[in-house]
Every structure is written in structure tokens, then in C-alpha cells.
Amino acid sequence: MMSLTTLLIVAIIIVIIITIATVISVNRAYAFKHTVDEKPKQSYHQEEN
């Protein structure tokens, strides 16, 4: 059976790993270059064929 100290150490290690993974993914998300497509020019008159 696990002792309370071992359980606490394992829990702290898991929290640290999850925190590091979160920081890495947030940094990658903010580093991503987001671009916005140019709005297409709309013509309001109908084209005659």
C-alpha cells in the first residue's frame, strides 16, 4: 500500500507535468501567426449575360 508521502509526491509530479504541458501549448498557440483573408470586393449590381 502506498504511503501518504509517496502519494503526495506522485500527485505533485503529475501537477507539475500538467502545468508544464499547459505552458508549452499556450506559448505555441500565441506564437502561431494568425492571418485574416482579405474581404472579397462585392459588386451590388447584377451582371447581365
Side-chain angles (χ1 to χ4, degrees):
M1 190 171 161
M2 284 180 138
S3 69
L4 186 60
T5 307
T6 307
L7 187 63
L8 190 62
I9 291 172
V10 170
I12 290 172
I13 291 172
I14 291 172
V15 168
I16 290 171
I17 290 172
I18 291 173
T19 304
I20 291 171
T22 303
V23 169
I24 289 171
S25 55
V26 167
N27 283 338
R28 285 185 182 173
Y30 276 110
F32 185 77
K33 176 80 171 103
H34 296 282
T35 57
V36 177
D37 292 337
E38 218 177 286
K39 285 177 72 175
K41 293 183 177 151
Q42 296 178 349
S43 67
Y44 292 100
H45 65 279
Q46 290 184 346
E47 293 183 18
E48 296 178 16
N49 292 334

